[in-house]
């Protein structure tokens, strides 16, 4: 199809010319997605561990709730965060709305349940014996967690990559909390949405291709990393 | 440097038309002030002003803008420019709206012919104008009311539209409405700027043509309103006023007057 | 000195009582073997002794101090006791790091750690594999590294859950010898679970028989499923397999498990095959030494173990392959 | 926060009054998401099986590609499908654009890699012995697959539920391919986006709550189902 | 009749040759036991015989027909051969459905299936558990249901991989008896892998010893790791453990595995402890019957197996506990 050929050529042109505007958009995307994945990991992985490691009433219900949160629409999350950071709200004075920080906050909410549930599932596939072995060797809870983490590392890494993929490709939160302000909060996806709005489909698809190249590169890295270890 | 950044919510049409790409760099060159643009639907842009999320709003829904100022959210509405709306349709014009005497009579013909009409349906300036024109046709309207709760009080939100499945209310931005209408080869109403961009500014073909234009009722005025620092003390009111006054100054107005998209004038200055 | 004293302990999973031990003392410096059928509770008991599973009720006294079930206290206790799992695992890293883990936790300085690790690997003859990735070792090697990992920590107690199941003969012998060595040379107490009775006996100072979660003094031998019918004379008849019937003195009924005490079975003197109630004929399959007794395995249709005292053995001098008659005293039978 | 209370009361009002418009939106959402999950399952599960069961060159690369597809932005998928079904494109005469069918097609592309990769992962966690046991009992490939499917059923069911959650909460494809036409292709999320555009946040959040209730109900069902079986 | 004929088969995983068998014939209707150390290739060979793993090279002739490695052909062959895994599993459904699966596949009508299933469960004594959920059975029960599942299909061959490892004594005996029964009554050929030599010998008509993927006629006994030094006289000295040294006739060097053929070790006549090259003293630990031989286990520091013919045994009449001297002929030693 001529349309895709056009888009492909445009994408190539965009990349080859190292268009500064494109560069900035890509940098913003990577930065925002990177931080939100980082924060979601920092909260989500320990939460997953806590839930996996403790037996308590309502544990399965809590997991069900986390699973439900996987289906939270970006619009809802954006509105939720908006209600806290809009100027008139409690955190309004921090002036977060329409900044990259706002996107990061929203995206962290989006993927934090993904990372938590993936972590729980990865740990549940790790043999109970690893935990017992660490305990009998004298480990405390933290050291046990470290052992289990090492055994579950690929599962958790996969969760992180999937989450990164989710945020770098999402548009609702970036648009609504970031505002798609050129030079400030314009990401690959909001730029795509804008080009689409303008009817510039070729440019939109070209940007999409740039995004796919980035995420393919990340997955390839993971693939090689995992491959090297399992040889 | 952070102080030299002004946040502005505006409608997608000002951004998509490319006008801001001319105005903002010039403004920055003149004053050193950077403008951070948040483009969205008119309703959401006004909402940003109400919530104090931005310093200034630049929209096109005159009556709502005046209401906004009256309620104390903004200090003053500066009339910046206008363009106009056009009624578009397929070239073979099945409802024969060409040569209608007025915009509302054109719409009436579409309704009577049961030809498909695509509406923004998103409470935007364009949608507000379209609803106004439908009201003038004196056709029977269907009004839908939804009750919601705001600040603990019940409040109803209602809108009206002609009856019939030929009327497609799609609740999206202008560009998407044009794409939709083109796909369905149906009638629609658009601002001239977006239409020109779609018709002449892209590689893709666009088949709809202007079937009615020029009615006074189709005028589309844009206004800029700095947010009231009494309501939102944090806003950069000074910069906002500076920007608004720059826009209505001879320099700003000249730039607007001179802006051409594919050789066609899109906006007409209102302040000189 | 008493290492463990268990008092009225129970462990319940769901609605099943898996452990139910009234009283049990384990001495320091000894090797104990834990014998019992599948699902008897061996692994669970070892978990409890290793402070890895809390009790449902009851009390454990470890070295004269009552065990408190707080994570802090347990963690301290665990530093004295290392468990070697039924299906042991190594962490997915190098052999070195596997041994290093427990030492690092104990804040032992790095150079000393290295020394200990090399020494422990020497014990199991695997020093040359110190840098090998642990998950690429064979089954036998894994087992030995796991033991080395336990020994590196110089614990007071090592708990071994079936240390030789699925291990080949060569490594079985090595493992058993290693356990003996560390018990003798380092005075480490060892408690091991096993199904291999003769192996257990060859190494342990004491054997404990566990069934349905309770410790019993019965030996784990001559255990059969049998169908018991009431007889007219107030006793009952017990059918182990068709053709092998015993007369019991007490009334009983139904499908039961029956235990025939090997030291209460009498080897009748040579001669023509005997016959009579509870007298059975068979061929001697094997003879072996077991503490002060000689163990005879006799094929009477099923395999039956009979104990002879050394003096009786020297007197009767039965040979492998001999056809003999035995008499099972009614009091030899115990119904579980 | 008053805002959430407002939204909650509004959501309750909406549901209580059985607003016919809301009902229609919910029905469209469920129908569209249901079908796209169904189709994605019909293609994705067998694909996951095929990849898992066969050894071939480039297998890991193929999995990496599927993982990359997890990060496809909805805008890109929508444009891709658009390029085939727009009036001037090859399938233009089928008149698919701006119908529920178009949404279903787009969403199927969105979640089909999710279902495939989840299936692969679920199968990889199933012991190889199940496969061998089925083979030695005389099963052919199809019967082996059935056995493995039964053992992996919760993993695959979880994938289906996660995919359903993903489509019912996505907005880009529904908006761009469905067109948010009132009464035809308006879904819960496009309606939310519209209310947001109009500045009617209360209504947007109320709709979001309806969506969360639906997806919580589905997850709860799964939870009970799984719980009953593992008791 | 010949069931399997294997010709020049090899199986390579990665760069390792796991199987390498020049020629092997297996007769129909017999029980074969496969003995060998961990990682020898037992499981892999059974997988090959069960048509579950393709060969890297070589040919298998099953019942006079060459095996073709097409999925269709293999599937037909598999209907004759059922494998019982080393760690067997049941599908997560009821016991009934587990047995039903293979029968349904074979298009047997439902009423007949039910009969077969009940009959097979009767064989293992578990008919009352027909509706139980399979994953809640205990280890021993699982093992028996897996056997019943195999038998229900009336295969011509049953392959069993360590059918009794980790199974308690009671169930071990039951399982072994069951295998014997089906071999005798249903004329089903059985090939089983095991580490338990005496168990294997008590049941099998033929034993095969496998090591490093090759079948050898060596018995799986008296296998030691040893360090060998060249001696001055053209022979060499082999140290098994400190104190136990053998003189060998050939030059050898390094750490090797050495096999001492139990039938080439001589029991010296009674009397004062003998001494001399390759003469060792020890205590008899056990005596047992093995085919036409009597097996002596002698503790000479390590445990050594010695075979006596029945007639020699009856002549010398050694007793358990006797102190004896043995002489290991240089030709008894075989270096692997
Ligand atoms: N976490 C658990 N939850 C429920 N039941 C359990 C649990 N752990 C063990 N059991 C049950 O407790 C009983 C005893 O188990 P245990 O593992 O202690 O037996 P064992 O004597 O070690 O048997 P084996 O010889 O097969 O290793 C078994 O019936 C087992 O099913
Ligand atoms: N799929 C595989 N890929 C690579 N190596 C394998 C594979 N399967 C088995 N091996 C290796 O082949 C060798 C023989 O394995 P096999 O399971 O046949 O041994 P075994 O004789 O059954 O041992 P055990 O007594 O421990 O059961 C082992 O070294 C094992 O690591
Ligand atoms: Mg156990
Ligand atoms: Mg094996």
């Amino acid at each position: 199809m001529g349309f895709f050929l056009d888009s492909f050529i445009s994408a190539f042109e965009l990349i080859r010319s190292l268009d500064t505007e494109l560069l900035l958009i890509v940098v913003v995307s990577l930065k925002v997605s990177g931080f939100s994945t980082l924060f979601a990991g920092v909260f989500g992985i320990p939460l997953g561990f806590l839930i996996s490691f403790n037996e308590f009433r309502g544990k399965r219900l809590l997991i069900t709730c986390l699973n439900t949160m996987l289906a939270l629409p970006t619009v809802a999350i954006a509105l939720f965060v908006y209600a806290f950071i809009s100027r008139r709200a409690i955190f309004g004075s921090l002036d977060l709305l329409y900044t990259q920080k706002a996107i990061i906050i929203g995206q962290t909410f989006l993927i934090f349940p993904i990372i938590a549930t993936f972590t729980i599932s990865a740990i549940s596939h790790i043999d109970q014996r690893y935990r017992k072995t660490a305990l009998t060797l004298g480990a405390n809870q933290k050291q046990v967690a470290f052992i289990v983490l090492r055994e579950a590392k690929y599962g958790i890494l996969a969760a992180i990559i999937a989450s990164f993929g989710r945020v770098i490709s999402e548009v609702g939160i970036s648009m609504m909390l970031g505002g798609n302000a050129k030079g400030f909060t314009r990401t690959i996806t909001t730029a795509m949405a804008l080009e689409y709005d303008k009817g510039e489909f070729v440019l939109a698809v070209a940007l999409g291709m740039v995004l796919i190249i980035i995420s393919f590169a990340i997955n390839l890295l993971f693939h090689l990393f995992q491959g090297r270890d399992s040889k | 440097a952070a102080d030299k950044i002004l946040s502005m919510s505006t409608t997608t049409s000002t951004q998509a038309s490319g006008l801001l790409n001319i105005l903002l760099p010039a403004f920055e060159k003149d004053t050193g002030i950077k403008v951070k643009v948040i483009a969205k639907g008119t309703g959401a842009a006004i909402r940003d002003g109400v919530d104090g999320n931005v310093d200034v709003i630049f929209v096109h829904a005159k009556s709502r803008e005046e209401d906004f100022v009256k309620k104390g959210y903004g200090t003053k509405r500066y009339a910046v420019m206008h363009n106009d709306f056009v009624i578009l349709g397929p070239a073979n014009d099945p409802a024969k709206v060409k040569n209608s005497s007025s915009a509302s009579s054109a719409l009436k013909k579409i309704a009577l012919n049961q030809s498909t009409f695509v509406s923004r349906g998103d409470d935007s300036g364009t949608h507000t104008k379209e609803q106004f024109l439908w009201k003038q046709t004196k056709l029977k309207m269907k009004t839908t009311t939804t009750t919601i709760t705001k600040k603990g009080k019940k409040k109803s939100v209602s809108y009206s539209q002609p009856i019939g499945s030929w009327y497609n209310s799609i609740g999206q931005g202008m560009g998407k409405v044009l794409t939709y209408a083109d796909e369905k080869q149906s009638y629609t109403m658009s601002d001239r700027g977006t239409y020109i961009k779609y018709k002449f500014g892209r590689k893709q073909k666009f088949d709809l043509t202007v079937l009615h234009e020029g009615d006074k009722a189709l005028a589309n005025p844009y206004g800029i309103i700095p947010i009231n620092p009494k309501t939102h003390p944090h806003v950069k009111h000074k910069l906002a006023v500076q920007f608004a006054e720059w826009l209505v100054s001879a320099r700003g107005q000249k730039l607007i007057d001179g802006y051409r998209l594919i050789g066609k004038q899109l906006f007409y200055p209102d302040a000189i | 000195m008493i290492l463990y004293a268990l008092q009225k302990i129970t462990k319940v999973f769901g609605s099943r009582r898996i452990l139910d031990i009234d009283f049990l003392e384990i001495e320091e410096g000894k090797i104990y073997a834990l014998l019992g059928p599948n699902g008897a509770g061996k692994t669970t008991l070892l978990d409890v002794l290793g402070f890895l599973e809390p009790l449902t009720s009851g009390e454990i006294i470890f070295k004269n101090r009552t065990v408190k079930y707080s994570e802090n206290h347990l963690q301290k206790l665990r530093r004295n006791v290392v468990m070697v799992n039924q299906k042991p695992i190594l962490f997915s890293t190098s052999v070195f790091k596997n041994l290093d883990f427990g030492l690092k936790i104990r804040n032992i300085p790095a150079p000393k750690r290295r020394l200990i690790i090399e020494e422990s690997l020497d014990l199991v003859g695997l020093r040359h594999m110190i840098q090998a990735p642990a998950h690429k070792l064979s089954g036998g090697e894994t087992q030995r590294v796991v033991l080395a990992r336990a020994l590196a920590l110089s614990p007071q107690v090592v708990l071994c859950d079936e240390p030789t199941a699925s291990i080949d003969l060569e490594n079985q012998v090595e493992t058993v010898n290693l356990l003996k060595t560390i018990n003798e040379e380092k005075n480490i107490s060892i408690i091991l679970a096993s199904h291999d009775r003769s192996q257990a006996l060859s190494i342990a100072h004491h054997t404990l028989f566990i069934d349905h979660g309770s410790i019993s003094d019965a030996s784990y031998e001559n255990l059969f499923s049998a169908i018991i019918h009431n007889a007219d004379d107030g006793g009952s008849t017990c059918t182990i397999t068709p053709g092998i019937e015993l007369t019991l003195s007490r009334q009983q009924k139904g499908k039961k498990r029956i235990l025939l005490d090997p030291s209460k079975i009498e080897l009748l003197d040579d001669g023509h095959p005997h016959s009579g109630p509870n007298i059975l004929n068979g061929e001697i399959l094997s003879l072996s030494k077991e503490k002060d007794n000689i163990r005879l395995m006799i094929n009477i249709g099923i395999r039956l173990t009979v104990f002879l005292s050394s003096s009786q053995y020297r007197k009767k001098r039965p040979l492998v392959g001999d056809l003999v008659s035995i008499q099972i005293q009614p009091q030899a039978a115990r119904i579980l």
Side-chain angles (χ1 to χ4, degrees), chain C residues 38-39 41-44 86 161-162 193 195:
Chain C
N38 286 128
K42 298 183 294 299
T43 301
T44 310
Q86 185 159 5
D161 202 355
E162 305 196 21
H195 283 130

Side-chain angles (χ1 to χ4, degrees), chain C residues 3 26-33 123 147 151 155-160 174-192 202-206:
Chain C
L3 189 64
I26 289 177
E27 274 178 76
E28 206 172 346
K30 293 280 181 338
I31 301 182
Y32 280 78
L123 264 180
L147 260 175
L151 299 179
Q156 298 173 20
V157 189
V158 173
L159 307 170
C160 289
E174 275 186 42
T175 306
V176 166
N177 288 342
L178 184 62
L179 289 177
K180 256 191 202 155
T181 315
I182 61 163
N183 172 255
E184 282 161 17
E185 292 180 7
K186 302 202 164 183
N187 198 34
I188 295 177
S189 309
I190 294 175
I191 305 172
L192 60 91
S202 75
I203 171 178
H205 302 106
H206 300 280

Side-chain angles (χ1 to χ4, degrees), chain A:
Chain A
M1 302 237 359
F3 171 64
F4 288 111
L5 193 67
D6 285 356
S7 303
F8 194 75
I9 294 170
S10 308
F12 185 73
E13 272 299 318
L14 267 178
I15 297 167
R16 205 187 54 108
S17 67
L18 261 183
D19 186 69
T20 49
E21 201 181 322
L22 175 76
L23 217 64
L24 186 62
I25 289 175
V26 170
V27 167
V28 170
S29 278
L30 287 176
K31 185 175 149 198
V32 164
S33 307
F35 273 110
S36 53
T37 308
L38 181 74
F39 292 138
V42 166
F43 294 113
I45 296 172
L47 181 76
F49 267 86
L50 273 178
I51 294 177
S52 297
F53 273 27
N54 293 293
E55 289 306 323
F56 51 90
R57 257 178 82 86
K59 171 172 174 166
R60 299 243 349 254
L61 199 70
L62 181 60
I63 295 176
T64 302
C65 287
L66 279 174
N67 280 324
T68 303
M69 282 177 71
L70 295 179
L72 275 181
T74 48
V75 192
I77 293 172
L79 278 171
F80 178 80
V81 174
Y82 181 94
F84 284 94
I85 64 172
S86 117
R87 261 336 279 215
R88 290 200 297 192
I90 4 175
F91 300 121
S93 54
L94 299 179
D95 215 0
L96 291 168
L97 196 62
Y98 304 133
T99 64
Q100 296 180 6
K101 286 181 202 132
I103 307 182
I104 293 172
I105 294 170
Q107 289 186 338
T108 302
F109 277 103
L110 176 68
I111 54 172
F112 145 83
I114 301 184
I115 293 199
T117 52
F118 266 65
T119 302
I120 293 171
S121 146
I123 293 176
S124 80
H125 285 123
I126 297 299
D127 208 304
Q128 272 297 323
R129 287 177 294 157
Y130 285 97
R131 216 180 136 192
K132 262 199 185 166
T133 305
L135 278 179
T136 199
L137 294 176
N140 59 26
Q141 290 296 322
K142 231 169 57 198
Q143 290 153 338
V144 171
F146 168 76
I147 288 291
V148 173
L149 183 67
R150 185 165 59 199
E151 301 301 332
K153 63 173 177 276
Y154 290 122
I156 293 173
L157 206 56
I160 291 173
I161 287 176
S163 301
F164 184 81
R166 180 76 182 91
V167 283
I168 206 170
S169 68
E170 78 81 33
V171 60
I173 290 171
S174 308
M175 190 62 104
M176 287 165 66
L177 295 178
N180 188 26
K182 188 172 155 189
F184 298 92
T185 55
R186 184 161 297 172
T187 64
I188 301 180
T189 52
T190 58
M192 280 175 80
L194 176 63
E195 295 305 333
Y196 173 76
D197 254 359
K198 291 202 264 177
E200 296 289 1
F201 295 171
V202 169
L203 215 57
V205 172
L207 281 165
M209 285 178 180
V210 172
L211 193 149
I212 290 166
I213 290 167
I214 292 173
S215 89
F216 184 70
I218 291 170
N219 275 289
L220 205 65
L221 226 74
F222 175 59
H223 160 88
L224 294 175
F225 182 55
Q226 197 176 13
R228 197 195 51 186
D229 213 54
S230 68
K231 220 174 276 162

Side-chain angles (χ1 to χ4, degrees), chain C residues 27 29 47 125 141 147 183 192 201 218 226 232 275 318 322 325 330:
Chain C
E27 274 178 76
D47 276 352
E141 288 162 350
L147 260 175
N183 172 255
L192 60 91
L201 289 170
D232 304 332
S275 71
D322 283 356
S325 299

Side-chain angles (χ1 to χ4, degrees), chain B residues 18-272:
Chain B
L19 177 65
L20 291 180
N21 291 342
I22 301 296
L23 293 179
L24 300 183
F27 177 63
E28 190 180 343
K29 215 173 114 204
D30 290 0
T31 62
I33 300 169
K34 247 191 151 105
V35 183
K36 181 171 167 183
V37 180
I38 320 292
K40 39 174 69 179
T42 298
I46 291 175
R47 173 77 192 230
D48 265 342
V50 170
D51 285 350
N53 295 324
V54 291
D55 305 314
V56 62
I57 61 173
F58 186 18
V59 293
H60 61 123
K62 197 168 174 196
S63 59
R64 289 170 70 178
E65 290 166 42
E66 281 159 353
D67 192 45
F68 183 81
V69 175
K70 209 161 77 201
K71 284 197 176 135
Y73 294 119
T75 48
K76 180 185 170 192
R77 176 180 187 272
Y78 296 80
V80 178
M81 60 188 190
H82 72 272
N83 68 352
D84 62 343
F85 294 110
V86 290
I87 291 174
L88 306 174
N92 63 357
D93 190 15
K96 306 270 175 289
V97 302
K98 221 169 194 165
N99 310 320
S100 295
S101 55
S102 69
S104 58
S105 73
L107 290 185
K108 195 168 182 171
K109 282 181 191 159
I110 295 169
L112 293 177
N113 195 44
Q114 305 260 304
S115 297
T116 319
F117 181 90
V118 181
S119 163
R120 291 279 296 264
D122 62 351
D123 248 10
S124 59
T126 313
H127 186 214
T128 311
K129 175 68 73 182
E130 182 209 315
Q131 277 178 302
F132 170 78
L133 293 174
W134 280 115
K135 211 174 277 168
Q136 292 201 323
T137 62
K138 302 280 187 307
L139 285 167
K140 220 174 146 205
M141 292 287 169
K142 184 175 75 181
T143 303
T144 317
T145 307
T146 312
T147 311
I148 61 169
T149 305
K150 254 193 184 164
K151 305 218 174 84
K153 283 189 211 106
K154 287 220 160 55
K155 191 190 144 192
S156 52
V157 183
S158 59
Y159 60 93
S160 51
Q161 64 170 72
I163 301 160
S165 64
W166 54 271
Y167 185 87
N168 279 355
S169 172
I170 73 164
Q172 299 197 62
M174 198 66 250
K176 287 169 194 148
V177 167
L178 287 183
T179 308
Y180 192 110
D182 182 43
E183 281 292 338
K184 299 263 173 193
Q185 290 293 292
S186 47
Y187 292 93
T188 190
M189 192 178 107
S190 165
D191 66 281
R192 191 180 292 272
T194 314
Y195 164 69
I196 289 173
K197 181 103 193 357
Y198 265 67
K199 179 88 181 175
F200 307 108
R202 315 177 305 156
K203 262 193 178 170
Q204 290 102 311
K205 263 178 79 91
F206 185 79
D207 291 341
L208 302 184
T209 56
V210 176
L211 294 176
H212 184 84
E213 59 189 327
D215 187 343
K216 272 245 168 58
L218 289 174
N220 179 24
Y222 285 78
I224 186 161
I225 310 174
I227 304 305
N228 193 343
K230 287 198 187 105
T231 320
H232 294 293
H234 64 274
V235 297
K236 295 166 187 153
H237 186 62
K238 264 199 194 127
L239 300 187
V241 171
Q242 204 180 343
F243 181 51
E245 281 176 351
W246 183 87
L247 274 183
V248 297
S249 73
R251 165 121 166 99
Q253 295 284 300
K254 203 171 150 234
L255 283 172
I256 292 169
D257 197 32
Y259 180 59
R260 294 286 184 279
L261 184 65
I262 318 124
K264 296 195 166 57
Q265 177 157 13
L266 286 187
F267 298 101
Y268 301 89
D270 271 352
I272 35 172

